[in-house]
Amino acid sequence: MDEFIEQFLLESRENVERATADLLALESHPQDRARLDGAFRAFHTLKGGAGIVAFTAMARAVHAAENVLADVRSGARVITA
């Protein structure tokens, strides 16, 4: 397996776990800026990694999620359960 893909898979697992924990926490505490920023960073990192290893479909999907979180960060959207 290509070393970039191996590294991507390793880091992706960590980022998915971080994003999941942050998103679940936001469900209970939608005003928690640290959790929102953490989820955004995890998705941003996943998007970049997916682009590097040419996982185009994944990069597009994660980019869409990142855009939603960017809207929440800017106040254009609100988080609800």
Side-chain angles (χ1 to χ4, degrees):
M1 184 181 297
D2 181 281
E3 71 180 78
F4 288 117
I5 293 176
E6 285 182 41
Q7 186 65 33
F8 169 73
L9 293 174
L10 200 110
E11 291 176 7
S12 291
R13 285 184 188 103
E14 295 170 6
N15 283 308
V16 167
E17 288 174 7
R18 185 175 331 131
T20 300
D22 287 339
L23 290 173
L24 288 172
L26 283 169
E27 187 174 26
S28 302
H29 306 287
Q31 302 304 320
D32 188 335
R33 184 63 187 217
R35 292 293 196 155
L36 176 59
D37 290 343
F40 178 85
R41 278 192 306 276
F43 278 107
H44 181 75
T45 303
L46 283 165
K47 178 189 73 176
I52 289 170
V53 295
F55 288 5
T56 308
M58 179 182 178
R60 277 194 308 256
V62 176
H63 185 71
E66 181 189 30
N67 286 343
V68 169
L69 292 174
D71 286 349
V72 173
R73 292 172 87 199
S74 73
R77 286 186 180 206
V78 236
I79 294 178
T80 63

